[in-house]
Amino acid sequence: MSVLFVLLFSFAVAEARGPGLPNVMVLATGGTIAGTGSSSTTVVGYTAATVGIETLLNAVPELKTVANVKGEQVFQIASENMNNDYWLKLAKRVNALLAQDDVDGIVITHGTDTIEETSYFLDLVVKSKKPVVIVGAMRPSTAISADGPINLYNAVILAGSDEAIGKGVLVALNDQINAARDVTKNNTSTADTFRTPELGFLGYMQGNKPYFYRQSTRRHTADSEFDVSNLDALPQVDIVYGYANMNRVAIDAFVAAGAKGIVHAGVGDGSLARPAVEPALDEARKKGVVIVRSSRVGNGIVARNGEAKDDEHDFVVSDTLNPQKARILLMLALTKTTDTKEIQRMFYTY
Ligand code: DGL
């Protein structure tokens, strides 16, 4: 069957279906999905964030058969450059659109480097049960077998689906559906990079439909206590990485620079090196900096009062959140309180 016939048929179907389709907004922010390479075989060393939203949408005419799609370029960056200002701008725009009756769901196209952080941030500040799906690509739009178009197509279906309502912010690439809280990038370059290593996918995209098998047990989106609508900045929270022979220099530097919180990505179960690191974190705590013990391991629970006397130090533990996600929750927690008992509750709630 010729491509032209398929396209004409799809268009006819779209016209025939008309208003019954869900209204999905696609917000573009950059990344590889909007990237271009010097040739069709360039899959590393390309330029991210060069293709605009209208080009992205026009490259997938099939979108018209599954949703009434509108696009908006919120900003255009490689996502390693993501920052709090961009997050606040994106969150406010998402919430404004979701409050509209004519918006059923939102897709955000995004660089994969920080999808796991942006998705968790939005999971904690989006004030709606409507679907929000974050999508990216591991190959630029110019590459052979670019994964962006099919990922975008699936993301729009997911964002317009009833099944995705109330599931929290979702990350959908490579036919897999992940929860924002637990998903992480597992490979620097392969298309199957997004995993939820031990807790697992929520489901799959198959044959133009979502199939869910699980959902998060933690609070998110409409049930979240965090609200950024009146915020123009977020507290500075930094991460120190644990390793053999670690010293206290980075901790002291972050404290001197005015960090309000420090996440320690410890070895093992969030262990603190002595005699260098534990005293440094203790002193930071006594200066009012909130300390969260996380782990560089990537899976498992960081047990309170396990590898450190958290009650004595007045530290918080990250539960299963990896360091980069613990940083986000601590940042938002600090917009509401500096009470470490309250903050620990938040880490056991979200
Ligand atoms: N520069 C990286 C980013 O924008 C490229 C990775 C990607 O988007 O897949 O996140």
Side-chain angles (χ1 to χ4, degrees):
M1 191 179 298
S2 77
V3 173
L4 177 61
F5 174 80
V6 169
L7 288 179
L8 288 175
F9 174 76
S10 303
F11 184 73
V13 167
E15 287 304 295
R17 287 180 181 172
L21 295 174
N23 298 326
V24 174
M25 275 299 293
V26 179
L27 303 182
T29 72
T32 295
I33 194 169
T36 49
S38 54
S39 78
S40 63
T41 55
T42 305
V43 288
V44 289
Y46 53 83
T47 306
T50 57
V51 175
I53 179 62
E54 289 314 318
T55 306
L56 288 180
L57 297 181
N58 293 337
V60 191
E62 295 84 353
L63 292 175
K64 294 187 181 72
T65 68
V66 294
N68 300 315
V69 174
K70 286 182 184 170
E72 189 174 301
Q73 192 81 42
V74 185
F75 42 81
Q76 179 79 287
I77 62 167
S79 77
E80 65 269 27
N81 302 324
M82 189 58 71
N83 63 34
N84 292 347
D85 293 340
Y86 286 126
W87 275 349
L88 288 171
K89 179 178 183 179
L90 181 61
K92 290 171 182 176
R93 187 61 185 139
V94 166
N95 279 323
L97 287 167
L98 290 176
Q100 295 175 197
D101 291 339
D102 61 347
V103 173
D104 298 313
I106 287 181
V107 168
I108 298 168
T109 60
H110 193 291
T112 60
D113 286 359
T114 56
I115 273 188
E116 65 194 86
E117 296 182 55
T118 299
S119 60
Y120 188 46
F121 176 73
L122 293 175
D123 202 44
L124 295 170
V125 302
V126 163
K127 312 310 283 184
S128 171
K129 289 189 180 297
K130 293 178 182 177
V132 175
V133 179
I134 303 204
V135 65
M138 292 303 288
R139 302 185 193 110
S141 62
T142 46
I144 301 170
S145 304
D147 53 333
I150 187 63
N151 286 348
L152 177 58
Y153 176 72
N154 278 332
V156 167
I157 292 172
L158 184 58
S161 72
D162 293 340
E163 294 89 340
I165 294 171
K167 294 283 196 313
V169 173
L170 302 171
V171 175
L173 288 85
N174 198 43
D175 301 338
Q176 294 147 353
I177 305 171
N178 283 286
R181 181 188 186 277
D182 308 309
V183 69
T184 184
K185 190 171 183 180
N186 274 250
N187 185 290
T188 57
S189 53
T190 57
D192 66 347
T193 184
F194 281 99
R195 299 290 173 105
T196 301
E198 292 186 348
L199 299 176
F201 300 126
L202 299 187
Y204 302 98
M205 293 302 297
Q206 190 174 86
N208 303 339
K209 263 182 61 61
Y211 293 85
F212 281 93
Y213 300 89
R214 309 182 315 99
Q215 64 185 69
S216 179
T217 59
R218 292 298 173 98
R219 275 171 61 178
H220 54 68
T221 58
D223 297 331
S224 170
E225 63 199 276
F226 304 112
D227 183 349
V228 296
S229 57
N230 296 317
L231 295 181
D232 295 321
L234 293 167
Q236 182 61 35
V237 175
D238 293 295
I239 301 172
V240 291
Y241 196 83
Y243 48 88
N245 199 38
M246 183 178 173
N247 57 48
R248 58 179 290 164
V249 172
I251 296 164
D252 294 341
F254 283 137
V255 174
K260 302 299 182 206
I262 291 176
V263 173
H264 177 262
V267 297
D269 190 9
S271 307
L272 306 177
R274 299 170 187 90
V277 172
E278 188 174 58
L281 292 175
D282 245 345
E283 288 167 34
R285 182 68 200 111
K286 289 183 171 65
K287 290 176 182 171
V289 179
V290 176
I291 307 298
V292 173
R293 283 199 307 117
S294 182
S295 170
R296 72 180 197 180
V297 162
N299 285 291
I301 297 171
V302 175
R304 187 167 178 85
N305 296 316
E307 283 292 340
K309 296 182 171 56
D310 298 300
D311 290 350
E312 276 180 37
H313 294 294
D314 193 26
F315 292 164
V316 174
V317 289
S318 69
D319 188 35
T320 61
L321 289 179
N322 68 27
Q324 54 270 33
K325 296 195 192 234
R327 186 185 81 87
I328 293 164
L329 181 51
L330 179 53
M331 207 164 48
L332 289 170
L334 290 170
T335 66
K336 294 186 73 73
T337 181
T338 54
D339 178 323
T340 49
K341 285 183 176 46
E342 256 300 90
I343 295 173
Q344 184 66 78
R345 173 196 59 82
M346 293 171 179
F347 273 85
Y348 288 142
T349 303
Y350 293 91

